[in-house]
Amino acid sequence: MRYYNEEIADNSKVELVLMAGETDPALAKWASATKMPWPVLSQKDHMAISPLKKLRPRAWPTYYLVDFEGKVLAKSVGSSAPVKAKLKALLASEKAS
């Protein structure tokens, strides 16, 4: 949550989306109870969104950095560090230009 608040929350060019492997109705209840400020999609939900259809994680957690056209810019299984590093680099290069 800290990373989200510091790096993503106020950036209109970045959106965090949690894609869960479950389709259990309890998922929505859990997301609401934990007051997550980002969208939480079940497997069924993310398969209905065109740019996300090709993202089929085989393990959890899997992290993706995807641009608004659906191109995967970074992917990591287990650790979010490589994806965060890529995002940080992209945001830094944007500020520099």
Side-chain angles (χ1 to χ4, degrees):
M1 188 70 85
R2 185 178 70 205
Y3 181 81
Y4 175 83
N5 289 331
E6 292 173 1
E7 303 291 335
I8 298 174
D10 295 327
N11 189 326
S12 63
K13 295 184 179 185
V14 179
E15 179 65 69
L16 176 73
V17 177
L18 187 149
M19 296 180 355
E22 302 88 19
T23 55
D24 190 325
L27 177 64
K29 197 174 195 178
W30 168 81
S32 177
T34 56
K35 296 183 176 29
M36 294 205 169
W38 51 79
V40 177
L41 304 177
S42 71
Q43 188 174 26
K44 179 182 175 186
D45 294 335
H46 91 260
M47 291 304 293
I49 299 171
S50 183
L52 301 180
K53 281 183 183 179
K54 66 182 174 185
L55 306 180
R56 294 179 180 248
R58 303 285 189 252
W60 302 97
T62 300
Y63 300 89
Y64 295 95
L65 180 58
V66 182
D67 70 11
F68 286 105
E69 284 79 43
K71 179 182 175 188
V72 176
L73 305 175
K75 176 185 174 184
S76 178
V77 177
S79 170
S80 62
V83 172
K84 287 178 181 178
K86 178 68 173 181
L87 176 59
K88 186 174 183 174
L90 289 170
L91 294 174
S93 70
E94 183 178 282
K95 285 181 184 178
S97 36

